[in-house]
Amino acid sequence: MRIPFITSRERDFSLEPLTVKDCDAVSALHREDFVRPWTGGEFADLLAQDTVFGYVAREVGRGKAPPVGFVLARLVAGEGEILTVAVARSHRRQGLGWKLMDAVLRELHAQRAEALFLEVDETNAPAIALYRRLGFREVGKRPDYYRAPGSGANGALVMRRDLR
């Protein structure tokens, strides 16, 4: 009797602290979604700051494969800020954005932060929906904040989540 392998359609991911070794890989992910992507050196420079931290998501069972998502945040004077977050297009709609944001929220809670802020392109409906589900609310707008060649400029929504 032959028994086939049972394969799950769901993937399992682990979250790990973002380190300098990950900077080139997260730069490549950043390039998928941002008109002016950050270089590996820019990520490394940010991580060198005491106030900046982040997490990467890796697919379990893929050895030393590069991260498939990341988040970079900063905590200063009791307020957190999401500097940037991205998930590989091939790994979207699997809860990775939620998991990455949850990791930041947990870290900020442990550090007794009061609030978390972020900016998001006003046309990025999936991200806005995620942030709202996470308890963020719109507190401001920045007109013409994101510029894309050939498509003009989009505004940014400034969003906040109270942590206390």
Side-chain angles (χ1 to χ4, degrees):
M1 178 166 133
R2 192 169 164 207
I3 302 174
F5 288 105
I6 298 173
T7 57
S8 170
R9 302 192 92 213
E10 289 188 30
R11 297 173 173 169
D12 193 19
F13 301 94
S14 66
L15 295 185
E16 304 166 6
L18 176 60
T19 69
V20 172
K21 292 186 296 187
D22 298 313
C23 288
D24 287 336
V26 298
S27 175
L29 283 174
H30 203 253
R31 209 171 9 257
E32 284 188 22
D33 288 318
F34 292 88
V35 173
R36 210 308 255 153
W38 299 351
T39 67
E42 289 171 312
F43 278 102
D45 288 346
L46 285 165
L47 276 177
Q49 299 174 22
D50 291 340
T51 58
V52 176
F53 66 97
Y55 297 94
V56 293
R58 297 186 195 281
E59 195 167 353
V60 172
R62 297 286 314 243
K64 296 186 183 205
V68 295
F70 74 92
V71 62
L72 190 68
R74 173 181 6 231
L75 174 61
V76 177
E79 290 186 346
E81 176 188 10
I82 298 296
L83 299 174
T84 189
V85 58
V87 173
R89 290 180 182 170
S90 61
H91 288 75
R92 292 191 182 155
R93 305 210 44 88
Q94 297 178 47
L96 278 179
W98 179 282
K99 289 177 183 179
L100 289 163
M101 291 294 294
D102 183 62
V104 169
L105 289 166
R106 288 173 185 271
E107 176 67 24
L108 293 175
H109 177 75
Q111 298 295 325
R112 306 191 60 71
E114 295 180 18
L116 176 60
F117 291 87
L118 59 83
E119 293 162 348
V120 60
D121 187 317
E122 66 187 355
T123 65
N124 190 342
I128 293 167
L130 169 65
Y131 300 142
R132 286 190 174 135
R133 283 193 314 272
L134 285 165
F136 285 84
R137 69 183 191 290
E138 185 180 324
V139 295
K141 290 187 180 183
R142 297 179 193 257
D144 301 330
Y145 190 75
Y146 293 103
R147 299 207 172 264
S151 66
N154 295 329
L157 300 180
V158 180
M159 301 183 84
R160 173 188 175 123
R161 176 175 165 169
D162 292 325
L163 302 175
R164 289 190 182 194

